[in-house]
Amino acid sequence: MAEIPVPYSHDGREFEGMLVYDDSAAGPRPAILMQPDWLGVSRHGIEIARDFGGGDYVVMMADMFGAGYGEREKSFDELMKISREVRADLPHILGCGAAADRAMTAEAESRGLIDTGKRGLIGYCIGGGFALEQSRAGADYAGTAVFHVTLPQPVDENATPDFKGPVLIFHGSADPVTPREMIDTLEAELTEAEIDWQTMMYGHASHSFCDIGMFNELQRYDAKLTRQSYEMTRYFFSGIL
């Protein structure tokens, strides 16, 4: 698996995304913009990108926190503070997310890796919230999939959603970070917007079930549920990419 850093800038700050793909696979593949969890572009995030992408996709992992963020150890309180601040900054989410997409799409296209007509969006935890905001704002992705999303509701409650494609939601019924009521509200929003949506609710599953190696009182990785989620996501994207 290849890992190619891709620098870009937004609003006077430097960021560095990552292209993750199987360099033994031939020909252009669909491009998937990935919004990682609150650890950002880190070894942990790259492992997840490798696991999701395999030989099927070129994963373009966005950096929303700043170059070097994922390389530095951070306490739980620091992660909570920084991720919530970024999640509340809608102009940053949309502007930095778009800058990440442009830079990594250009790099991947220059290497002959992607079919630019086939673009999807995924997000994990707080990154799922970022991904949903991009889709709400009309970002040009064929579909969006979110895994154990954190803060799924819109920052701007008065904004009119402009989703361009269907939304697929994977969630745990025992998620202590995002309780079921928040998913109900998201589903109601998508229904009102007349968006094709599906939710896979895993009984007894906790938060971060796709986050490799995470085991603590809030986060519980589950390899079986991860495999199931990714198989369903591939089927989801196969019908629209």
Side-chain angles (χ1 to χ4, degrees):
M1 297 291 285
E3 301 167 12
I4 309 297
V6 180
Y8 51 94
S9 60
H10 171 68
D11 198 23
R13 294 176 57 196
E14 299 302 314
F15 298 85
E16 188 173 83
M18 185 77 70
L19 294 177
V20 180
Y21 61 95
D22 183 348
D23 55 1
S24 68
R29 282 148 279 173
I32 304 294
L33 184 71
M34 170 184 166
Q35 289 286 6
D37 62 21
W38 65 359
L39 295 179
V41 179
S42 60
R43 285 313 315 170
H44 164 75
I46 291 169
E47 281 188 58
I48 293 173
R50 290 163 62 105
D51 194 33
F52 174 82
D56 299 320
Y57 307 111
V58 173
V59 178
M60 308 190 304
M61 192 186 326
D63 173 19
M64 305 294 282
F65 300 106
Y69 169 89
E71 301 168 4
R72 180 171 57 84
E73 287 289 332
K74 292 167 286 294
S75 68
F76 178 88
D77 289 343
E78 186 178 6
L79 288 166
M80 183 72 75
K81 179 178 184 296
I82 293 171
S83 64
R84 266 48 178 185
E85 287 175 351
V86 173
R87 181 67 185 91
D89 188 347
L90 184 57
H92 174 77
I93 292 171
L94 301 182
C96 191
D101 184 282
R102 287 192 301 270
M104 289 189 287
T105 296
E107 181 67 26
E109 187 176 18
S110 73
R111 294 171 178 266
L113 297 173
I114 60 172
D115 179 342
T116 56
K118 297 181 178 181
R119 292 157 36 83
L121 176 62
I122 64 173
Y124 296 81
C125 303
I126 200 79
F130 299 159
L132 286 172
E133 292 290 17
Q134 290 178 270
S135 290
R136 282 189 182 101
D140 187 20
Y141 299 102
T144 302
V146 294
F147 306 88
H148 36 81
V149 58
T150 303
L151 299 175
Q153 273 63 69
V155 172
D156 181 358
E157 297 178 355
N158 298 315
T160 300
D162 186 24
F163 292 90
K164 300 301 186 188
V167 176
L168 180 59
I169 304 157
F170 295 96
H171 208 70
S173 68
D175 190 323
V177 177
T178 305
R180 177 59 202 250
E181 292 75 17
M182 287 188 175
I183 300 301
D184 291 341
T185 301
L186 173 60
E187 292 173 352
E189 175 195 2
L190 295 169
T191 298
E192 185 175 353
E194 299 183 345
I195 299 303
D196 179 7
W197 62 268
Q198 301 172 60
T199 297
M200 173 56 69
M201 184 65 68
Y202 292 121
H204 314 294
S206 187
H207 195 61
S208 296
F209 52 81
C210 292
D211 282 1
I212 298 170
M214 289 295 185
F215 296 101
N216 55 51
E217 61 185 45
L218 293 179
Q219 300 168 295
R220 185 68 53 178
Y221 171 63
D222 190 308
K224 179 181 177 180
L225 297 186
T226 299
R227 287 195 305 273
Q228 290 179 355
S229 299
Y230 289 174
E231 287 171 4
M232 290 184 66
T233 305
R234 287 184 170 85
Y235 181 79
F236 170 71
F237 280 135
S238 72
I240 54 180
L241 294 181

